[in-house]
């Protein structure tokens, strides 16, 4: 099966600019996650969707970050305006609903550099 | 808030030596998953532990889940250069949140 797709793979912007990331999960996976991974740290959950509803966005900085999954399939994560500390890899992951395993399948990530 | 602590932060070993990373949660977990992230790559699922005291093996890798379901360990016997990467534990809380540890970065010298 095809994996989780993300684009772009790399993005360089200046602070105060806006940026958007796109994720297409594995077909049939109802749960979709966006993580922020700062260099040398573990993935930090930003938002979790189940179908097109938000399950958890408690760690999403809502003053500048937004995410949507309108049709319950692909998703976009936006940062507006970006700050220097937003430099990180943004990982999208998906998981099948139900079943015995909670395995998350990760995409290749988008490496964001804010100058 | 709920936390998952992982130690050590990094470890250098000679090829053939053993390696262990430990994971501790501030709360009881529903399950714990382990992921491996190669340098420049993304996390890849290794295994999931669910039962109290559970032990699972994958070739040279042994995973344990503590009796209280608050801690876990990953042990690699006789490391190889292909084991290089960062190993993350990820705990699923009772509130169905997945919390990742900070990871242990393994360096293996041939």
């Amino acid at each position: 099966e095809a994996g989780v797709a993300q684009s772009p793979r790399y993005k360089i912007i200046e602070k105060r600019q806006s940026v958007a990331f796109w994720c297409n999960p594995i077909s049939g996976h109802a749960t979709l996650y966006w993580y922020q991974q700062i260099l040398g740290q573990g993935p930090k959950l930003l938002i979790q969707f189940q179908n097109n509803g938000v399950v958890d966005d408690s760690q999403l900085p809502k003053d500048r970050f937004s995410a949507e999954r309108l049709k319950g399939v692909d998703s976009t994560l936006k940062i507006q305006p970006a700050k220097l500390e937003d430099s990180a890899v943004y990982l999208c992951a998906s998981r099948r609903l139900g079943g015995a395993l909670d395995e998350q399948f990760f995409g290749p990530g988008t490496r964001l550099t804010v100058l | 808030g709920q936390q998952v602590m992982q130690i050590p932060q990094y470890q250098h070993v000679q090829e053939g030596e053993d390696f262990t990373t430990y994971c501790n949660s501030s709360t009881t977990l529903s399950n714990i998953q382990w992921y491996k992230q190669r340098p420049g790559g993304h996390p890849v699922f290794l295994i999931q532990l669910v039962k109290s005291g559970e032990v699972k093996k994958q070739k040279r890798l042994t995973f344990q889940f503590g009796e209280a379901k608050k801690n876990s360990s990953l042990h690699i016997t006789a490391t190889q250069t292909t084991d290089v990467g960062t190993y993350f534990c990820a705990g699923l809380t009772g509130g169905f949140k997945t919390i990742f540890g900070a990871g242990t970065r393994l360096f293996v010298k041939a």
Side-chain angles (χ1 to χ4, degrees), chain B:
Chain B
Q2 295 166 321
Q3 287 188 323
V4 173
M5 307 299 291
Q6 196 171 349
I7 57 169
Q9 185 176 355
Y10 57 87
Q11 187 157 1
H12 293 259
V13 300
Q14 196 76 29
E15 189 174 25
E17 292 182 337
D18 293 356
F19 160 77
T20 305
T21 173
Y22 300 90
C23 194
N24 286 286
S25 169
S26 57
T27 59
T28 302
L29 300 170
S30 298
N31 68 46
I32 196 154
Q33 302 147 50
W34 285 91
Y35 292 80
K36 177 182 178 181
Q37 186 172 25
R38 294 184 186 274
H42 55 274
V44 175
F45 177 85
L46 293 176
I47 207 160
Q48 176 176 299
L49 305 171
V50 179
K51 299 176 184 177
S52 170
E54 189 170 12
V55 177
K56 286 188 176 180
K57 292 189 176 184
Q58 286 180 350
K59 297 182 180 178
R60 295 178 294 105
L61 278 61
T62 302
F63 304 84
Q64 295 190 14
F65 200 11
E67 294 290 338
K69 300 183 72 172
K70 295 178 74 173
N71 56 67
S72 182
S73 65
L74 157 59
H75 179 82
I76 302 178
T77 303
T79 55
Q80 300 175 358
T81 54
T82 53
D83 296 326
V84 163
T86 302
Y87 293 85
F88 293 99
C89 60
L92 182 67
T93 70
F96 301 105
K97 289 188 178 185
T98 301
I99 304 174
F100 277 78
T104 296
R105 187 164 182 183
L106 174 63
F107 299 87
V108 180
K109 186 175 180 181

Side-chain angles (χ1 to χ4, degrees), chain A residues 7-92:
Chain A
S7 67
R9 293 293 311 276
Y10 306 91
K11 190 73 178 179
I12 300 174
I13 61 173
E14 294 189 349
K15 59 182 179 183
R16 291 187 289 273
Q17 285 188 323
S18 302
V19 64
F21 312 127
W22 174 82
C23 172
N24 190 15
I26 292 173
S27 177
H29 282 197
T31 307
L32 185 148
Y33 309 81
W34 281 104
Y35 291 91
Q36 180 193 59
Q37 186 174 26
I38 292 172
L39 188 64
Q41 298 183 18
K44 172 190 166 185
L45 180 67
L46 293 175
I47 191 166
Q48 176 182 343
F49 292 96
Q50 186 166 306
N51 295 310
N52 60 349
V54 175
V55 174
D56 181 5
D57 64 355
S58 57
Q59 298 190 95
L60 187 73
K62 298 180 185 65
D63 57 334
R64 298 185 301 106
F65 286 64
S66 64
E68 59 183 15
R69 193 184 184 198
L70 292 175
K71 296 182 180 178
V73 181
D74 51 350
S75 175
T76 55
L77 175 70
K78 296 179 182 178
I79 307 175
Q80 181 180 4
K83 293 185 175 181
L84 296 177
E85 58 261 37
D86 298 332
S87 293
V89 175
Y90 291 84
L91 294 163
C92 178

